[in-house]
Amino acid sequence: SQKIEQNSEALNIQEGKTATLTCNYTNYSPAYLQWYRQDPGRGPVFLLLIRENEKEKRKERLKVTFDTTLKQSLFHITASQPADSATYLCALDHQAGTALIFGKGTTLSVSS
Amino acid sequence: DAGVIQSPRHEVTEMGQEVTLRCKPISGHDYLFWYRQTMMRGLELLIYFNNNVPIDDSGMPEDRFSAKMPNASFSTLKIQPSEPRDSAVYFCASSFGPDRGLFFGSGTQLSVL
């Protein structure tokens, strides 16, 4: 069956450390993978998109990798801050060019 | 642009009643998506439109759910009759395309008693 799994429901780290979140998928062949941030009571906010032919993408303190052999994406936040505390969702296209299917998310807590 | 606008923000209704959720997408976006979020199931795609035409409604749970997009600036999701298991947060999102990032509204928190 098709599955999108994010490594853990919760991740707790100290301020200044690098947070690494994992997204694994099964029985999908995505053309791209996206990461979103969701704060309590709000809708998800788009952060980054990485395509199947890209290995890595960066945006400020964020870095995403995409390994289509391992069927895995890693999402890194360097020099994490308490303001980075939120739930992070990965999403991929169900079939090429179609709507996104989302993982259940990982809740990141950064303590000062 | 004000972003994707959803109304109402909260809806409490009794089982059997009709519920209508509304969405105004970002001007210029030609894709519109309806998602439902619960703790158990996460974000689930219900239906999406391209240029006001429904493309995939396979996520609509059953015939009690219907969605329309009469023009480029308005969409509705209707549940008739509503049931307690429909209780969830319903999100509308719009985009230039699913490979361009989705812009979500603030959601409608639906409670069916």
Side-chain angles (χ1 to χ4, degrees), chain A residues 30-42:
Chain A
Y32 45 82
L33 192 144
Q34 302 183 25
W35 285 88
Y36 289 75
R37 168 183 172 141
Q38 187 174 22
D39 292 285
R42 311 194 70 154

Side-chain angles (χ1 to χ4, degrees), chain A residues 3-8 19-26 30 32-36 48-52 54-57 62-76 88-92 106:
Chain A
K3 283 191 296 187
I4 303 173
E5 293 179 310
Q6 296 195 235
N7 57 328
S8 59
T20 298
L21 285 64
T22 305
C23 177
N24 295 294
Y25 58 92
T26 308
Y32 45 82
L33 192 144
Q34 302 183 25
W35 285 88
Y36 289 75
L48 279 169
L49 178 150
I50 186 166
R51 299 186 185 276
E52 61 178 336
E54 298 175 315
K55 295 290 186 190
E56 182 180 298
K57 205 85 168 276
L62 308 180
K63 184 178 86 171
V64 173
T65 62
F66 191 12
D67 188 325
T68 55
T69 301
L70 290 178
K71 297 187 182 300
Q72 180 182 81
S73 175
L74 299 179
F75 177 80
H76 306 273
Y88 291 87
L89 304 163
C90 71
L92 49 81
T106 296

Side-chain angles (χ1 to χ4, degrees), chain B residues 18-76:
Chain B
E18 178 180 295
V19 175
T20 299
L21 311 182
R22 297 172 175 79
C23 175
K24 176 178 168 53
I26 292 173
S27 177
H29 283 181
D30 47 12
Y31 282 82
L32 184 139
F33 306 84
W34 283 99
Y35 285 87
R36 176 172 70 175
Q37 188 173 41
T38 60
M39 289 292 291
M40 286 293 293
R41 301 174 68 92
L43 260 176
E44 299 175 282
L45 175 67
L46 299 176
I47 185 172
Y48 79 97
F49 297 82
N50 179 212
N51 291 322
N52 312 338
V53 176
I55 302 300
D56 183 356
D57 65 354
S58 59
M60 297 285 260
E62 45 199 275
D63 292 346
R64 297 185 297 106
F65 286 68
S66 63
K68 293 182 180 179
M69 192 165 185
N71 56 63
S73 58
F74 184 64
S75 178
T76 59

